Amino acid sequence: MSLEPASSGIETIGPARFLNRELSWLDFNERVLALAEDESQPLLERAKFLAIFSTNLDEFFQVRVAGLKDQLAAGLPATARDGMSPLDQLRTIRQRVVEHLERLSKVFLTSVAPALADAGIRLSDWESLDDDDREYLVDVFDRRIFPVLTPLAVDPGHPFPHISDLSLNLAVIVHDTQLGERRFARVKVPQLLSRFVVMPDGERFVALEQVIAAHLGRLFPGMVTECHFPFRVTRNADLTLDEEEADDLVAAVEMELRRRRRGRAVRLEIDTNMSDEVRDLLLRELQLSPSDVFVVDGPIDLGGLWSVYELERPELKDEPWVPTTQPRLSFDDDTPVDVFAVLRENDVLVHHPYDSFATSVETFIKRAAADPDVLAIKQTLYRTSGDSPIVKSLIRAAERGKQVVVLVEVKARFDEQANITWAKALEDAGVHVVYGVLGLKTHSKTALVVRQEDDGVRRYAHIGTGNYNSKTARLYEDVGLLSANADLGADLTDLFNFLTGYSRQSTYRKLLVAPFGLRNRVLELIREQTALGPAGRIVLKMNGLDDQPVIDALYEASAAGVAVDLVLRSICCLRPGVPGLSETIRVRSIVGRYLEHSRIFSFGTGTARRWYIGSADLRGRNLDRRIEVVAPVEQPALQERLAEIVDANLADGTLAWTLDADGVWHRPAGGGSGAHEVLHDAAVRRARPRHD
């Protein structure tokens, strides 16, 4: 079937057909910023969204802007599918980011900070403190801050120091009155100390850089401090790993992590008071241009507001949600459930954070580790928490003599060092640790338990959309399938053999695996609906969509009259609602309390409707450069659960944003319950029988 657009009047590539990926991501972060601006949100939740917006933007510059700058420096002529060159994109990104930073400063300075003060949480500056407050901070400085500081001078004997990635610093001009000379010095604000110093009343905070600035005389005795200005540098933080040349992948990643700290600077953040003299000096030494400077009105790095959010002020936060346990997985008279017996009866679908991660996935691995009949456990780990119960269970399983194999993805961006640490701990415990397939990231979320039973060896599986991370499982929305299906178990056995050994396995019984056929199967499923015309139906929920073949196929489905709904958290390069191209495609994004992270695909209607869940977004990187696993959900009761999730997203009139044909996101005037509230209520109803 042809993938040419239905109308010859629509170009095959360019802005009329595709939205820019980087600008689409900025649209997503703008939706996060809008939550901080929303006065109906609890106050500390608004502060949290300011922190999320800021840390999101950091990563965007570290990776996406850095990549565009690399393309520009290399003289690559390639343009994005929407027709924008790297230079065009960088110019537009700057314009958009400047606008966003103005909104960020405004909402913090004129709304959130005053509201925090009214609630007794005051972000105080040094000048506003009384003598007792300053005496307290002098003591804090002497005991906790001063011993950590290292002032670095810049003069003929001291070259300009390296400014590490995302570090907050003070640029200081001192005057040596004896020599009659002015000198520049840099003081790094220690990253391991809290961004804000908490006053004894527990309700007032003073920015750490202000405490340091008030004591510069201690750092430069005998000198006159003329001026000081905070600044922050962002560097290229993407790994450039040549796996084919690496004899030891872990050692190669560790080497690249050391190089990352010295990556090329891509952004300089300064406040509104910095002098032209100091700004020009920093630009010259960091080899940046004026277009790389971003002026912040207010505190630099509002990611530090996470420390404010952690205050014990429940009345200023969302009402706590305690994840429920499905009746089939709940205890019976304080006796732990036999999870294997449950799965032999029927599969279980879990939906986090509504369903408890601890009493489902963690219990599945914990029971496997303790069960004397379990012979082996095999699992992939992409990101996990620092005190991971799952990792502890895997270690205990190995200590009990079980065959334990774990694929730790040491190339998971910004979690590389943590994953290397976990990998070494697992190896020390006797776990067989492997690091993936050459040239690919292993992004799949899979676990396999092999158990000896009366009728022979049986395999149990978990296939999910989210990481095996107990902390993010309380914040990220994800689904997972627990199953004793023989075909799924056999497929996972083949997959792990491919991941750990030598294999050219590319076909599976039920699983769809990237990069070996997932895209082709998704295209087939879309084309099946296209052939049905207006009777066809496609619903895709995921984090992002940018794969050109998939987008082209969806355009063709729309031209045939197929109703298409896309629920995308962040990036969308498809342009919906364009006459002759995408009239029947609707795109929406749910942004709210939980980070929408699940990938749920639906094709068809009624009893013929097919459902899939898995780790893959329909993006080029997922389909071509990662090991991804998508599994069918075939039992009707579980399909109803997925329909409940999708329907709640499509009916949301509170949290949802919709994308117009002109590429602009807006909130529809709908009202009603948000998806998170609806799904909370559904989880409570399901769990209620266990209390009766």
Side-chain angles (χ1 to χ4, degrees):
M1 181 175 287
S2 171
L3 292 180
E4 290 301 311
S7 170
S8 59
I10 302 295
E11 57 195 24
T12 58
I13 197 164
R17 191 171 180 83
F18 297 102
L19 298 173
N20 182 267
R21 180 181 63 185
E22 317 307 348
L23 301 183
S24 181
W25 186 93
L26 286 177
D27 287 339
F28 155 67
N29 212 32
E30 186 176 11
R31 297 195 290 278
V32 175
L33 179 58
L35 286 171
E37 295 171 325
D38 184 354
E39 295 184 358
S40 69
Q41 292 284 333
L43 182 55
L44 284 179
E45 301 297 336
R46 296 178 67 195
K48 177 191 72 176
F49 287 121
L50 289 174
I52 292 173
F53 172 89
S54 299
T55 53
N56 282 350
L57 195 59
D58 289 344
E59 183 173 335
F60 180 73
F61 273 86
Q62 287 175 297
V63 178
R64 305 309 316 172
V65 172
L68 289 171
K69 283 180 169 289
D70 285 347
Q71 291 181 44
L72 193 62
L76 298 177
T79 59
R81 288 191 296 273
D82 62 288
M84 295 184 74
S85 70
L87 183 58
D88 292 335
Q89 293 178 74
L90 288 169
R91 287 172 173 166
T92 308
I93 286 169
R94 173 174 174 78
Q95 178 184 350
R96 294 281 303 280
V97 170
V98 167
E99 294 170 356
H100 291 175
L101 291 178
E102 289 174 353
R103 287 173 56 184
L104 178 75
S105 296
K106 180 180 179 181
V107 67
F108 176 71
L109 294 175
T110 67
S111 183
V112 173
L116 287 170
D118 291 342
I121 304 169
R122 292 183 291 280
L123 299 175
S124 304
D125 58 54
W126 181 267
E127 299 303 323
S128 69
L129 302 175
D130 61 25
D131 291 341
D132 290 341
D133 290 335
R134 292 185 182 185
E135 182 178 349
Y136 170 77
L137 288 177
V138 168
D139 179 63
V140 170
F141 180 82
D142 288 339
R143 290 185 298 102
R144 295 170 46 200
I145 302 173
F146 181 71
V148 185
L149 299 178
T150 304
L152 296 174
V154 177
D155 57 31
H158 300 86
F160 190 85
H162 174 73
I163 311 296
S164 54
D165 184 33
L166 298 183
S167 64
L168 186 61
N169 306 269
L170 288 176
V172 184
I173 299 293
V174 297
H175 184 205
D176 187 334
T177 55
Q178 293 185 3
L179 298 177
E181 296 179 343
R182 299 170 72 248
R183 296 291 189 190
F184 172 88
R186 171 258 191 156
V187 179
K188 180 178 180 179
V189 178
Q191 291 176 293
L192 294 181
L193 297 181
S194 176
R195 178 70 174 78
F196 296 98
V197 178
V198 184
M199 300 302 290
D201 56 20
E203 294 184 338
R204 288 176 299 152
F205 296 76
V206 180
L208 183 57
E209 66 269 23
Q210 289 200 24
V211 179
I212 296 171
H215 294 84
L216 289 175
R218 294 280 305 281
L219 296 172
F220 304 100
M223 301 286 182
V224 176
T225 302
E226 289 190 359
C227 54
H228 56 82
F229 310 104
F231 72 95
R232 189 167 178 255
V233 174
T234 308
R235 295 184 177 277
N236 185 333
D238 212 11
L239 294 184
T240 55
L241 192 66
D242 187 347
E243 296 183 50
E244 294 185 0
E245 297 295 326
D247 294 327
D248 184 328
L249 182 58
V250 172
V253 170
E254 290 179 317
M255 176 65 74
E256 282 300 311
L257 290 176
R258 289 191 288 272
R259 291 177 181 171
R260 171 188 280 174
R261 302 186 191 108
R262 306 190 69 85
R264 178 179 176 179
V266 296
R267 177 179 62 162
L268 173 64
E269 296 172 272
I270 64 175
D271 71 3
T272 56
N273 299 314
M274 180 175 283
S275 68
D276 293 345
E277 173 193 25
V278 173
R279 182 200 61 197
D280 292 344
L281 183 149
L282 291 174
L283 288 178
R284 182 173 63 252
E285 295 294 343
L286 293 168
Q287 299 180 18
L288 291 172
S289 68
S291 63
D292 299 316
V293 178
F294 292 85
V295 180
V296 179
D297 184 10
I300 295 173
D301 182 20
L302 288 181
L305 287 174
W306 274 113
S307 62
V308 178
Y309 178 78
E310 291 169 358
L311 284 171
E312 291 296 327
R313 295 290 300 272
E315 76 279 12
L316 301 179
K317 299 181 182 181
D318 286 325
E319 183 178 349
W321 167 254
V322 178
T324 64
T325 299
Q326 295 187 35
R328 292 184 63 209
L329 295 177
S330 62
F331 283 28
D332 183 14
D333 297 327
D334 295 326
T335 301
V337 65
D338 183 347
V339 65
F340 302 115
V342 168
L343 296 182
R344 285 194 295 273
E345 293 177 1
N346 275 305
D347 294 353
V348 171
L349 185 86
V350 287
H351 187 204
H352 314 301
Y354 309 98
D355 295 330
S356 169
F357 185 77
T359 59
S360 56
V361 181
E362 287 180 358
T363 294
F364 175 62
I365 302 299
K366 182 178 180 180
R367 295 284 180 265
D371 190 329
D373 293 326
V374 168
L375 306 175
I377 305 173
K378 302 181 181 184
Q379 189 163 1
T380 59
L381 291 179
Y382 190 73
R383 304 185 197 274
T384 190
S385 54
D387 56 349
S388 171
I390 283 180
V391 171
K392 292 176 182 177
S393 293
L394 294 172
I395 289 174
R396 284 194 291 270
E399 292 171 345
R400 290 168 178 156
K402 302 182 190 303
Q403 172 96 349
V404 181
V405 178
V406 178
L407 188 143
V408 178
E409 181 48 77
V410 294
K411 303 186 294 297
R413 184 177 289 146
F414 301 119
D415 276 317
E416 298 95 342
Q417 189 58 62
N419 284 5
I420 288 172
T421 300
W422 276 120
K424 292 179 178 178
L426 288 164
E427 284 182 328
D428 289 344
V431 174
H432 298 290
V433 178
V434 293
Y435 300 103
V437 180
L438 188 68
L440 299 172
K441 280 186 180 180
T442 302
H443 189 247
S444 61
K445 327 297 184 184
T446 52
L448 177 68
V449 172
V450 182
R451 189 171 187 265
Q452 179 66 55
E453 299 183 355
D454 293 341
D455 56 351
V457 172
R458 189 186 298 268
R459 289 171 285 207
Y460 299 84
H462 173 263
I463 300 167
T465 69
N467 299 306
Y468 292 105
N469 187 316
S470 57
K471 292 183 178 178
T472 59
R474 295 191 289 270
L475 301 172
Y476 287 23
E477 180 270 343
D478 277 300
V479 293
L481 178 68
L482 290 160
S483 176
N485 181 276
D487 285 341
L488 288 180
D491 277 350
L492 282 184
T493 298
D494 290 340
L495 177 68
F496 277 104
N497 287 343
F498 166 75
L499 294 174
T500 63
Y502 295 110
S503 168
R504 296 194 179 276
Q505 182 81 22
S506 60
T507 59
Y508 296 86
R509 300 158 188 83
K510 288 186 178 293
L511 294 182
L512 311 181
V513 179
F516 308 112
L518 175 56
R519 176 190 282 112
N520 287 341
R521 182 55 181 150
V522 168
L523 293 176
E524 288 174 0
L525 290 164
I526 293 173
R527 289 165 182 158
E528 287 176 3
Q529 297 306 307
T530 302
L532 297 175
R537 181 80 170 106
I538 299 170
V539 182
L540 305 174
K541 180 183 183 300
M542 52 194 155
N543 291 272
L545 170 66
D546 69 12
D547 186 66
Q548 182 172 344
V550 171
I551 291 174
D552 285 335
L554 290 172
Y555 284 153
E556 187 169 349
S558 179
V562 177
V564 179
D565 275 295
L566 306 177
V567 183
L568 304 172
R569 177 174 61 88
S570 58
I571 291 172
C572 178
C573 293
L574 177 147
R575 189 181 289 275
V578 178
L581 180 70
S582 55
E583 291 174 82
T584 64
I585 301 178
R586 298 184 301 173
V587 178
R588 60 173 32 212
S589 177
I590 306 293
V591 183
R593 176 175 183 172
Y594 303 129
L595 185 146
E596 294 291 324
H597 194 252
S598 66
R599 290 89 169 183
I600 303 173
F601 305 155
S602 165
F603 303 91
T605 60
T607 57
R609 195 172 185 181
R610 298 184 184 183
W611 291 92
Y612 297 83
I613 68 166
S615 60
D617 295 316
L618 297 181
R619 300 184 60 188
R621 67 177 190 180
N622 298 84
L623 301 176
D624 293 324
R625 301 190 299 277
R626 294 185 175 188
I627 301 292
E628 304 278 11
V629 170
V630 171
V633 176
E634 298 174 327
Q635 295 183 3
L638 305 191
Q639 292 179 343
E640 290 178 9
R641 286 286 313 279
L642 293 177
E644 175 186 70
I645 297 168
V646 167
D647 290 346
N649 277 258
L650 295 179
D652 188 300
T654 302
L655 305 174
W657 293 72
T658 60
L659 181 62
D660 291 336
D662 59 4
V664 176
W665 291 88
H666 73 277
R667 275 179 163 165
S673 299
H676 297 166
E677 180 184 350
V678 169
L679 294 169
H680 276 163
D681 293 343
V684 171
R685 287 195 302 272
R686 276 191 301 275
R688 192 167 292 142
R690 69 190 177 107
H691 301 300
D692 292 340

